[in-house]
Structures are given as structure tokens and as C-alpha cells.
Amino acid sequence: MKYQNPIIPGFYPDPSICKANGKYYLVCSSFQYFPGVPLFESEDLINWKCIGHVLTRESQLPLEGAGVSGGIYAPTIRYNNGRFYMVTTNVNFGGNFYVYTDDIYGEWSEPIFVEQGGIDPSLYFEDGKTYFTSNGEADDGEQGITQCEIDIETGKKLTPSVCIYKGAGGRYIESPHLYKFGNTYYIMVAEGGTEYGHMVVYAKGNSPYGPFENYPSNPVLTNRNLGGYVIQGCGHGDIIEDYNGNFWMVHLAFRQIDRWMPFHITGREVCLVPVKFNEDGWFKAGVNGITPIEIETPYIAGSVEQKLKMSEDFTNTEVGKDWVFIRNPHLENYELTKECFVLTQTPVTLADKEDSPTAVCIRQRQMKGDVSCKLSIESGEAGISLYMDETHHYDLCIYKTENGCRAVKRSCIGSVECEQNVAELEDAKDIVLNIRLENKEYAFSVVQGDKKYDLGKLETRYLSSEVACGFTGVMFALYAFGEDADKAIFTDFEINYENE
């Protein structure tokens, strides 16, 4: 069968995968968004359904003050002796920790912290031992991939943290995962930075502590030299053996807005490539070491059809799965149903870096399509924000004035904020907000009754990771702001994407 990458589009970086009970499970980073660590389930590795989040309580996920790309970094998910474990880093609160559950559809435990530094932690289980691996600094000060053994019940270190691997020579070594295939141990990492030089490298050895011999043809996967190619930044991978004995790698990558324009707006996404072992124990990944958009493989049945979700609205999305909040939300300000979202205005704006604004967010998953909703307000301001971070967002909004209502297109790019193409409306009831997505541009308009007001276009690249920096992607944020705690009522929300 043929499938297309990314298999999970939109801002879902740093994928990690495991299998249990005939299915596959995958988690991704979530940074400053709540709930944290989106959790996916699949039966065929191609089609994935978000079944919730791992970190759903503020006691598991404190995010106050977690600004641009703070909060939760790369997670790893593993299954051992009937129990799921997810290990990650809260860079603002406490560092490396893990949680566990015996019911993948239920609640996860409170965090158990591990006194080993670095980020991108991983777990490996063997013969009753638990190995905890991360990047960073060993107890003796040596830098690289660091590992210790822990008591999985308490998180207590049982051995000193030692450096087991220094990589293949690239910068920013990260994303360590330890495996045993056959009688050989493998350590796989990412190097090059999670940008255009990103790559996956690995080494093999005879024990969990090595010594490890680098794969002679490292990197095993990268698109770093493919100029004019849409998929870039391939790295941060995790390997799974499927139920038929075939091996696969999930990894992050991103899509440029155009093959000749090195900007990406939908964040780092989840891709899938085959992995094949040679007789000498080395493996290759991807198609000649790269990740193409389309892959044809005999390892997935021809009857499997890839189904990407191309339309979203209030009825086919869920709060806590598709919809998330910026930091820990004040839930008393939300009434969210399948018919409408009612948001209570507060003085906290989208520019705030400490508190949680009244905003509920869903990811931009494709680069062509249309977004629309109907909005009514009593006072203050509300609208749709194309939200990359606190200082990089485009807002299509309405706000009350002394003489009626005003619809505006606002651009916030770093320290520069500008309102353009203002439309004066009679009142603030039943105003339809429209945003057209066109790879390189967003086009904005509003409709009230039989009148349409064209508010012009803005370039998508100013919301890209290359401009804004950070590790997230553009969200469609329905938001409300004001001093009087009045209501903003959103109805008829709809996203319709188009195939590229």
C-alpha cells in the first residue's frame, strides 16, 4: 500500500511509540499547552486517533509562567509487565519525571521525579532492571547521553549517572532511546538541532552501557541535503517492531510552506518510515536514508486505507483531545458544548507570559483551506487568533466601540503590533469571521448579514518557527478579552482543509 507523510499532521513533535494488546500507542510533546502529552492509538500504524492526554491534572502539569516553548519537552512511552509508563521533562517545574497507568484509557499517576538532569528522558526495561537515559551531564561532569538504573516504584537512583554515548559528531545530541534487538543493544539519538540539519544517528554494543560502535553510514535518516523538498528537519525518532515482525521508525519532520521557501508554520509533525536490518546487525531507515512524502510498502496490507481528517467542527472534535488551553486554564471561564463555545472575558491577553488567557486552541494541520465561525459579544474583544506564541500571532477580532462595533485584522510580530483594514459594523451580533489558508498567505474577511468586508492578507512566514523561534506550531485560538467578565459566544465553527 501507499501512504503519505506526515501520518499525524500539525504541531505534534517528538513522537515516541510502543505497542500493547494488539494496538500501538504514541505520545508527543505539548510544551505550554494543557492538558499535556497528547496520546494516540492505532491498529495499523497509518491511521491514528487521539484518545486523550497523559497529563490531565494541574498536580501533574503545573504551567504557570511557562512561556514560549516552556513546559513539557519530549516524552517517551513504554509498556512493561502490563503497565504503561510515560517519562518526560517539565522544564519549568521539577525536571525529569514519569507517570504510569494500568489502563491506557484512564487516569495516570502523580509524577515520580528522577534526580538525573538533561532532557528527552527514556526508559528501558530488562531482567527486572529499569534504565533511565537522558542527554546532559553525568555525575562526574562528563557531557553526552547519560544513564543510570532506577527503582521504578520510587524513581530513586540505584547507580551513578554515567555517560554512555557521545554521538556521531553532530551538534545538540538529544532524543536517546535504548533498544535490544536480538542479542545486540542499540542507542539511537538525534543530532544537528531540530531544524534543517536534523538527523537520526545510532550505534550498537553488547551491553546497555556499551561501549557503542557508530553505524558506519550515519546519519541513518536525514533530509538535510534535499534542497527544494517540502519535508525537512527529520529527526528525533523511535523504533517499533510491528505485530508482523517488521520494523518502523516514527520521527518528527516539518513541511515548508513552499518547496523554495524555508519556513514552516504547522510545527513539527509525525512521520513514519520503514526500518530494515542487514545480516551484520546494522539497520537502514526510510527510502535510501530519507523521508519522502509518499511511501509504498508491502509491510502494510493493501486493504488499509489512510484517512486524514480534512474537516473539523464542534461536533467532531473534543475538548481535552483536539482542543487545548494555554497553560493551566481557569475553567470557570468556559462553557464548551457541541453547539457552541461560550467564553467569559478576563483582562488576561494573548500576550501574557504568566497566566492563562481565556482561549481554547486547536492545531492548524494543513496549509490550504478555510476557517470560519460566527461570533457575538456584549463588550470587550473576541475573535480567532492564528497563535504561534505570545508575541507572534494574527488576530481576526471584533470589539465594541462607543458607536457600535469594529472588526479588525491585527498582526503581532515580535515587538511590532499593528491593526489594519478596520471595518465599522452596526453591532456585535452574529458576525461571521473567515480566514482563508493559502500556504504563503492568510486572507481575512468578516460577514454581517448580506455585507462582506475584506480585511486583506498577511504572510504566513511571519508566524513560522524560523521567525518566531521556539518549538510549537500555529494554533487556531478562539479567545475573549475584556474587563467586565462578559460573554463571547462562538457558534458554527468549521475548518475545511484541501489536499495539496
Side-chain angles (χ1 to χ4, degrees):
M1 65 92 66
K2 289 183 180 180
Y3 69 90
Q4 286 193 337
N5 280 310
I7 55 170
I8 305 178
F11 154 54
Y12 291 107
D14 308 322
S16 178
I17 191 170
C18 73
K19 64 181 180 181
N21 306 319
K23 296 182 180 180
Y24 305 95
Y25 297 93
L26 184 147
V27 293
C28 299
S29 299
S30 53
F31 297 96
Q32 70 267 37
Y33 291 97
F34 187 93
V37 186
L39 174 63
F40 293 86
E41 182 182 73
S42 176
E43 296 181 351
D44 55 26
L45 292 171
I46 300 299
N47 297 292
W48 293 87
K49 177 183 178 181
C50 184
I51 59 173
H53 285 74
V54 174
L55 305 175
T56 59
R57 305 185 297 276
E58 189 170 348
S59 59
Q60 298 169 312
L61 183 56
L63 289 172
E64 183 179 0
V68 177
S69 299
I72 294 295
Y73 278 31
T76 296
I77 189 170
R78 293 292 182 257
Y79 181 73
N80 184 63
N81 291 335
R83 176 166 285 181
F84 293 91
Y85 297 86
M86 189 285 300
V87 57
T88 187
T89 314
N90 188 330
V91 298
N92 295 97
F93 296 93
N96 290 327
F97 70 93
Y98 59 93
V99 293
Y100 62 86
T101 187
D102 297 329
D103 178 8
I104 195 67
Y105 307 107
E107 291 289 312
W108 293 66
S109 72
E110 289 298 298
I112 300 174
F113 288 88
V114 178
E115 291 185 0
Q116 178 168 294
I119 58 171
D120 298 4
S122 185
L123 295 174
Y124 173 71
F125 298 93
E126 184 179 39
D127 296 335
K129 294 183 177 181
T130 303
Y131 299 86
F132 184 93
T133 312
S134 62
N135 81 337
E137 185 176 292
D139 288 352
D140 62 4
E142 189 174 7
Q143 297 283 335
I145 299 305
T146 302
Q147 186 168 278
C148 67
E149 296 170 37
I150 64 171
D151 180 344
I152 195 60
E153 298 296 325
T154 65
K156 181 180 179 180
K157 285 174 62 172
L158 302 177
T159 65
S161 297
V162 297
C163 181
I164 64 168
Y165 183 55
K166 286 184 171 294
R171 65 175 183 167
Y172 302 144
I173 185 171
E174 58 186 332
S175 176
H177 293 305
L178 182 68
Y179 312 94
K180 187 179 183 181
F181 301 128
N183 295 318
T184 303
Y185 295 88
Y186 296 82
I187 184 76
M188 190 171 76
V189 304
E191 293 182 337
T194 184
E195 48 202 56
Y196 289 85
H198 216 198
M199 54 187 168
V200 178
V201 304
Y202 76 96
K204 66 177 183 177
N206 294 320
S207 85
Y209 290 99
F212 291 101
E213 175 190 0
N214 273 314
Y215 173 48
S217 299
N218 272 329
V220 67
L221 185 78
T222 185
N223 282 21
R224 64 183 179 180
N225 293 321
L226 296 181
Y229 197 73
V230 172
I231 292 183
Q232 296 287 342
C234 300
H236 203 114
D238 198 8
I239 291 178
I240 190 76
E241 181 181 5
D242 71 18
Y243 288 105
N244 297 314
N246 305 306
F247 288 85
W248 301 87
M249 183 191 297
V250 292
H251 68 86
L252 67 78
F254 53 79
R255 290 173 292 166
Q256 297 182 170
I257 60 175
D258 179 84
R259 62 180 300 191
W260 301 116
M261 293 185 69
F263 300 94
H264 70 283
I265 58 174
T266 53
R268 298 167 299 160
E269 307 172 307
V270 182
C271 291
L272 177 75
V273 293
V275 170
K276 297 181 180 180
F277 281 83
N278 299 326
E279 293 180 357
D280 56 10
W282 299 112
F283 63 81
K284 297 180 179 180
V287 178
N288 298 319
I290 69 170
T291 298
I293 294 176
E294 186 174 81
I295 293 180
E296 185 169 7
T297 175
Y299 300 132
I300 297 176
S303 58
V304 175
E305 179 184 357
Q306 186 178 24
K307 299 177 182 178
L308 292 176
K309 196 174 186 180
M310 300 300 287
S311 64
E312 295 178 307
D313 55 39
F314 287 155
T315 66
N316 67 3
T317 56
E318 295 185 46
V319 177
K321 294 181 181 178
D322 308 284
W323 295 91
V324 295
F325 305 93
I326 302 169
R327 294 180 284 276
N328 301 117
H330 305 290
L331 293 177
E332 66 274 14
N333 296 324
Y334 300 89
E335 301 172 48
L336 309 177
T337 71
K338 294 294 186 181
E339 289 73 39
C340 69
F341 283 8
V342 180
L343 277 58
T344 299
Q345 297 168 344
T346 74
V348 182
T349 71
L350 293 174
D352 195 286
K353 298 181 180 180
E354 300 288 331
D355 203 350
S356 180
T358 302
V360 58
C361 310
I362 192 168
R363 289 160 171 82
Q364 180 178 346
R365 303 186 195 275
Q366 306 292 346
M367 282 175 275
K368 292 191 70 173
D370 294 280
V371 182
S372 65
C373 74
K374 187 178 290 186
L375 173 60
S376 298
I377 61 173
E378 301 169 9
S379 67
E381 173 185 316
I384 304 176
S385 179
L386 296 160
Y387 181 87
M388 172 58 88
D389 62 36
E390 297 95 326
T391 56
H392 296 82
H393 51 93
Y394 295 156
D395 309 329
L396 177 60
C397 60
I398 59 174
Y399 57 82
K400 293 296 288 289
T401 64
E402 292 182 359
N403 300 320
C405 175
R406 180 171 291 169
V408 300
K409 176 190 68 179
R410 179 189 299 124
S411 59
C412 301
I413 305 169
S415 59
V416 179
E417 182 175 321
C418 179
E419 289 189 358
Q420 301 170 304
N421 301 75
V422 175
E424 300 292 344
L425 307 177
E426 293 182 1
D427 58 40
K429 303 295 183 183
D430 296 328
I431 300 169
V432 179
L433 309 180
N434 294 308
I435 303 174
R436 173 66 186 168
L437 317 176
E438 279 287 0
N439 292 81
K440 302 175 187 179
E441 294 178 320
Y442 296 115
F444 303 83
S445 63
V446 297
V447 176
Q448 187 175 46
D450 58 357
K451 294 182 179 180
K452 181 178 180 180
Y453 303 86
D454 184 355
L455 299 183
K457 299 178 179 181
L458 290 169
E459 295 166 282
T460 61
R461 63 190 172 109
Y462 294 116
L463 297 187
S464 70
S465 297
E466 288 76 13
V467 173
C469 300
F471 303 125
T472 59
V474 170
M475 296 279 207
F476 301 125
L478 308 185
Y479 78 96
F481 163 76
E483 301 289 341
D484 298 327
D486 282 333
K487 307 292 185 180
I489 301 173
F490 295 85
T491 59
D492 301 328
F493 177 82
E494 192 171 18
I495 306 173
N496 290 297
Y497 291 117
E498 300 171 10
N499 290 318
E500 294 291 315

